[in-house]
Amino acid sequence: MSAYDWDTHNRQAVAEGRQILERTTASLARSNQVAIETENTGTEILSELDSQREALLRTGQRLDNADDGLSSSNKIMRTMLRTAFYNKLILILIIFLEICILAGMIYMKFVK
């Protein structure tokens, strides 16, 4: 009986070891699948980040171009404002001279 118990005990131990090995193998397979999915997700994220980086660089270039355009427009507006101011100043001077000439003519007409 002792040999029979020993044989049964060994068979049970081997069966338990085989079950543990199968569970470990299944666990390793699941872990491997999770690692593959994680790697795929990481690759997709890196690809998306790369395209977002390129979009941000293009946006930065557009903003630089817009800034250059705004600076140029600002210079043009200042020049136009200065020109308009000088034109008004000259117009006021001309009107003042015309008033002086008219006053002088009226003075000369009534004084003589």
Side-chain angles (χ1 to χ4, degrees):
M1 276 257 268
S2 171
Y4 179 74
D5 289 341
W6 179 255
D7 193 33
T8 304
H9 178 68
N10 282 341
R11 284 186 183 164
Q12 286 177 347
V14 168
E16 288 175 7
R18 174 175 243 135
Q19 288 175 353
I20 291 171
L21 182 61
E22 287 174 359
R23 286 194 307 263
T24 304
T25 302
S27 177
L28 284 173
R30 286 191 306 270
S31 296
N32 190 33
Q33 185 63 30
V34 168
I36 290 171
E37 290 173 2
T38 302
E39 182 180 1
N40 290 339
T41 302
T43 302
E44 290 173 9
I45 289 171
L46 284 175
S47 176
E48 187 175 327
L49 286 174
D50 186 48
S51 57
Q52 288 178 356
R53 178 183 176 271
E54 290 174 9
L56 286 172
L57 288 173
R58 284 192 305 270
T59 302
Q61 290 172 347
R62 284 191 212 128
L63 285 174
D64 288 342
N65 291 342
D67 188 42
D68 292 342
L70 287 173
S71 295
S72 177
S73 297
N74 192 15
K75 288 177 187 176
I76 291 170
M77 292 296 288
R78 280 189 305 223
T79 303
M80 290 173 66
L81 183 62
R82 191 172 30 247
T83 302
F85 177 74
Y86 290 145
N87 286 344
K88 284 182 182 181
L89 190 62
I90 290 170
L91 184 61
I92 290 171
L93 183 62
I94 289 171
I95 291 171
F96 180 72
L97 286 173
E98 286 180 349
I99 290 173
C100 288
I101 290 172
L102 185 60
M105 291 176 71
I106 292 173
Y107 176 75
M108 291 178 88
K109 182 169 186 168
F110 289 114
V111 172
K112 288 189 172 189

